[in-house]
Each structure stands twice: as structure tokens, then as C-alpha cells.
Amino acid sequence: MASLKEVRARISSINSTQQITKAMKMVAAAKLRRAQDNITQLRPYAQKLSQMLGTVSAGAETASESPYKQARPVDRVLLIVITSDRGLCGAFNANVVKAALTLIDEKYAAQARQGNVQIMGIGKKGAEAFQRRGFKVNTNHIDTFGSLNFATVRAAAEEAMEGFVNGSYDVVEVIYNEFRNAAVQIVRTEQMLPIVATEAPAGSTASAINYIFEPAEEEIITELIPKTLKIQLYKAVLDSNASEHGARMTAMDKATDNAGELLKELRLVYNRTRQAAITTEILEIVGGAEALASA
């Protein structure tokens, strides 16, 4: 049985840890509210923009000739892995890394054996995980969350788009956590490039829209495609940001509860140890008194 001093030290240590986890939960909750507002405001715009692009480009020759839609044999792959800069958020980062590794094993195993799978890390944890595994990692954008805004994400999107157009990559995929609520984050894998044509369901409103173009159709589509790609990556980053804070808030809430349960057990052990020590002292005193009396 541990000594009273050791038990007191453990109780003090766990009390301090519980205060830290409680504070981290409150900070994550405050950040989550702002991050959730950002993604809920952007999501309808991103979805409508993507839908409009699909409708406009369905029968347009300009869209089919776009360099961002040119499918070719896949020899070189870029995976944009969106994680967090810090840990203490449960399985948030591990789930994204696992999904990316599964995608490589199932879809790009041959390219990985040739060293033709490159990782663009947005967030330090994912970049570090793939560096440890020996992958080529682009670390130009791992500090995106340090100053998260459209400009920083646009730079990452433009680098991926330029690499696809000049042939450095034949396919670009994004792996991230989609935000549902504070307790639920769903890992998503989406192909960013080449653009996959999506057709609206027959009879839907989108399929019946007949757009009037001003200025010319070619000019609109030429500008719309790159803008849509950048917005879609920005949406994925905002999704991941909100998911991170939700995951951290949930993890810290559970850690705080676990610390409370552990404190209960330690206080019980402390009281039992203290009672045992008092009983031992009483027995020693009684034994000493009896020895003196018999002498």
C-alpha cells in the first residue's frame, strides 16, 4: 500500500491536471463557437457554387477543355492531409492519418512503392506523422491554422492546382474531418483534381436551369473553376478547424470526468491508509503500555 505522502502527491497532481483539462475544455468551447459559425456560413455558398459550376459546365465545351478537368494516367499523386497543429483532441488526427494510409494502400500502392505519393500537410500533426513514415512531405502550409483565412488556404490550393496543370501531379485528393457537431466528426476523402463531372438528377431544378451568360460563357467558366476549387479547399479547412475544437472539447470533458473518478478512488485509498496508520499507532501504544505494566 502506498504511503500517505505518495497518495497526497498523486491527489495534488491529479487536481492540477483536472484544472488544466477543465480550462482547455472552456477554451475549446469558445473557439468552437467561432469556428462553427464560420463553416455554417460558408457551407451553403460553397455548395451552391459547386452546384452552379456543375450545371454550367455540363454541356459547355470550354469546361471540358479546362486543364483542371484533364484526366490522365495516374503516376504522381498529391494528398492534402488536413489535421491540427496540436494534440489532446482524441482520435481526431489519428483518424485522418489512418484514412490517408488506407487510401494509399487501396488506391495508390504502386505509386507509393515508386515514391510518387507526396503529402501536403495542412496542420503539423499530419505532416509529422507522414514524415516519420518516410513519405515526401510538402511543409509549406503546415502553419495554415496559425493565421487561418482565405488567403493562406488559397496559396495552398494554387500550389496544388499549378502542380496538376504542369504535370507534377496527376491526381489531387483531400482528406479531412467534416464537422457535424461537437461530438461527431466524419473523415472525408474528396478528389480535388481532376474535376469529376457531376450530373444533376433527372427532373431536378438544377438540371432545368438555362443560364444567360454575361460576359461570355468562356470567360465565366475560366474564372469560376479555379475559384470553386479554392473555395472547396477552404471549406475543408474550416470543417477541419471546427472539428478539431469539437474533438478537443469532448476529449477534455472526458478527461475532466476521468480525473474526478480517479480523485474519488485516491481519496478513498488515502482515508484507508490514514486509518490503517492510526490503528497501527494505537496498537503500538497499547502494546508498549502492556509491556511497561508487566515489567
Side-chain angles (χ1 to χ4, degrees):
M1 184 177 292
S3 67
L4 287 174
K5 183 177 180 181
E6 291 173 344
V7 176
R8 279 197 301 266
R10 290 188 64 190
I11 290 174
S12 176
S13 175
I14 293 173
N15 263 322
S16 299
T17 302
Q18 188 181 45
Q19 291 174 5
I20 293 171
T21 57
K22 193 178 295 184
M24 291 183 68
K25 174 190 171 183
M26 295 173 64
V27 171
K31 290 183 176 180
L32 172 62
R33 179 170 296 181
R34 294 193 296 269
Q36 186 173 355
D37 289 343
N38 289 337
I39 186 59
T40 52
Q41 291 170 12
L42 178 69
R43 190 174 283 160
Y45 171 72
Q47 291 173 346
K48 190 64 179 179
L49 187 64
S50 180
Q51 176 188 332
M52 184 173 66
L53 175 63
T55 304
V56 169
S57 63
E61 293 182 3
T62 302
S64 61
E65 295 172 356
S66 169
Y68 302 114
K69 296 190 73 173
Q70 303 306 314
R72 49 183 181 259
V74 178
D75 293 324
R76 293 167 294 277
V77 179
L78 175 66
L79 301 183
I80 302 177
V81 179
I82 306 175
T83 57
S84 67
D85 290 335
R86 299 181 296 124
L88 297 178
C89 48
F92 173 82
N93 294 312
N95 288 340
V96 174
V97 173
K98 182 180 178 181
L101 291 172
T102 300
L103 178 67
I104 292 171
D105 290 340
E106 294 179 352
K107 197 172 178 181
Y108 303 117
Q111 291 84 347
R113 285 193 295 270
Q114 298 171 3
N116 290 337
V117 173
Q118 183 169 343
I119 307 297
M120 177 185 286
I122 296 181
K124 295 178 181 177
K125 289 297 181 179
E128 291 171 355
F130 281 96
Q131 282 176 331
R132 289 194 298 268
R133 289 171 171 82
F135 285 88
K136 297 177 183 176
V137 179
N138 178 342
T139 58
N140 294 340
H141 307 285
I142 60 172
D143 294 323
T144 297
F145 291 105
S147 56
L148 180 55
N149 52 55
F150 180 68
T152 56
V153 178
R154 180 179 60 193
E158 288 175 347
E159 184 175 332
M161 292 158 61
E162 182 181 349
F164 178 80
V165 171
N166 64 30
S168 298
Y169 318 117
D170 299 312
V171 65
V172 179
E173 301 215 33
V174 183
I175 303 97
Y176 67 100
N177 275 295
E178 181 184 64
F179 177 78
R180 288 297 179 87
N181 55 55
V184 179
Q185 302 87 34
I186 301 174
V187 179
R188 296 292 188 194
T189 300
E190 297 177 354
Q191 181 171 309
M192 179 178 173
L193 293 166
I195 298 172
V196 179
T198 56
E199 296 183 0
S204 69
T205 305
S207 63
I209 295 176
N210 185 18
Y211 287 100
I212 298 175
F213 296 96
E214 179 63 37
E217 176 183 355
E218 178 180 354
E219 184 178 345
I220 290 176
I221 293 178
T222 300
E223 182 175 342
L224 190 61
I225 290 177
K227 182 176 182 179
T228 303
L229 291 171
K230 296 169 189 176
I231 289 292
Q232 293 306 318
L233 183 60
Y234 186 47
K235 181 185 78 70
V237 172
L238 290 186
D239 257 317
S240 182
N241 186 46
S243 297
E244 176 195 348
H245 296 311
R248 181 169 290 111
M249 187 183 76
T250 302
M252 292 301 99
D253 182 53
K254 291 180 179 178
T256 302
D257 292 342
N258 291 340
E261 292 296 324
L262 191 53
L263 283 172
K264 289 180 183 178
E265 295 178 6
L266 285 174
R267 289 191 179 109
L268 183 60
V269 170
Y270 178 81
N271 290 333
R272 287 176 177 173
T273 304
R274 184 168 174 272
Q275 289 171 359
I278 293 171
T279 302
T280 301
E281 290 178 1
I282 292 174
L283 290 174
E284 289 175 352
I285 293 171
V286 171
E290 289 180 352
L292 289 173
S294 61

